[in-house]
């Protein structure tokens, strides 16, 4: 797998020793990270920053005081942030129904503490690759919308006519 450049791994965990260990692990693999001690702190950061323009993923603790990781996940899903920010849940209190439910609802993965460093970094790199691909798709769609908005009325008519003709040729 080709390394993803300009990526950030966000770490949200109420346990300082877990945050520090994960940050150290990521630094040792040349993966930049930012750590937050609560779901509220991470959400506040997201609210202040412009939309995500670089690959990223979120390592999210399930159980935390205040807003839980599961509640934050729901907030991110409702805002549409999960499309470009894959979430890997980390928990010391795993239960199969929660893991299955979160993955069905869009979580990238669900890892039980303690976890294998190599396996976790592999999943993080896969999540960053997915984020990079989805960001490229978002940029492509945005560029296409800009180009379409710049067409003259005549160019739009020609495009629609060409599109209709292509549809007709497909109907045999």
């Amino acid at each position: 797998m080709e390394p993803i450049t300009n990526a950030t791994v966000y770490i949200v965990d109420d346990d300082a020793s877990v945050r520090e260990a994960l940050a150290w692990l990521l630094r040792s693999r040349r993966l930049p990270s930012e750590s937050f001690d609560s779901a509220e702190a991470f959400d506040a950061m997201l609210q202040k920053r412009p939309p995500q323009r670089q690959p990223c993923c979120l390592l999210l603790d399930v159980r935390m005081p205040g807003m839980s990781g599961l509640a934050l996940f729901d907030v991110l899903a409702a805002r549409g942030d999960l499309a470009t920010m894959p979430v890997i849940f980390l928990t010391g209190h795993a239960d199969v129904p929660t893991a299955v439910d979160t993955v069905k609802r869009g979580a990238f993965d669900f890892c039980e503490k303690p976890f294998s460093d190599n396996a976790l970094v592999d999943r993080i790199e896969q999540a960053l690759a997915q984020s990079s691909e989805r960001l490229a798709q978002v940029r492509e769609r945005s560029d296409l919308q800009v180009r379409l908005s710049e067409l003259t009325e005549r160019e739009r008519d020609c495009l629609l006519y060409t599109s209709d003709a292509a549809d007709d040729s497909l109907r045999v």
Side-chain angles (χ1 to χ4, degrees), residues 43 47 67 69-82:
D43 192 42
Q47 298 295 323
M67 182 190 295
L70 297 171
L72 176 62
F73 181 76
D74 290 339
V75 168
L76 298 174
R79 283 199 309 243
D81 291 339
L82 299 181

Side-chain angles (χ1 to χ4, degrees), residues 80-155:
D81 291 339
L82 299 181
T84 56
M85 183 175 19
V87 175
I88 299 173
F89 277 103
L90 303 175
T91 186
H93 312 282
D95 69 87
V96 173
T98 301
V100 170
D101 180 58
T102 57
V103 171
K104 281 183 176 179
R105 292 188 303 126
F108 188 81
D109 207 344
F110 199 97
C111 300
E112 187 175 7
K113 298 174 188 173
F115 44 78
S116 158
D117 290 354
N118 289 333
L120 180 61
V121 170
D122 287 348
R123 291 304 284 158
I124 290 168
E125 289 174 341
Q126 292 164 3
L128 292 172
Q130 181 185 78
S131 176
S132 180
E133 290 169 15
R134 289 186 176 169
L135 283 167
Q137 292 168 350
V138 167
R139 280 191 290 274
E140 189 175 303
R141 257 184 264 128
S142 178
D143 291 347
L144 182 59
Q145 287 174 339
V146 167
R147 286 190 299 244
L148 288 172
S149 72
E150 293 172 346
L151 292 176
T152 65
E153 189 174 331
R154 175 72 179 133
E155 289 169 329

Side-chain angles (χ1 to χ4, degrees), residues 30-43:
R30 293 182 173 80
L31 290 169
S33 67
E34 290 184 42
S35 297
F36 300 86
D37 63 359
S38 70
E40 292 89 351
F42 177 71
D43 192 42

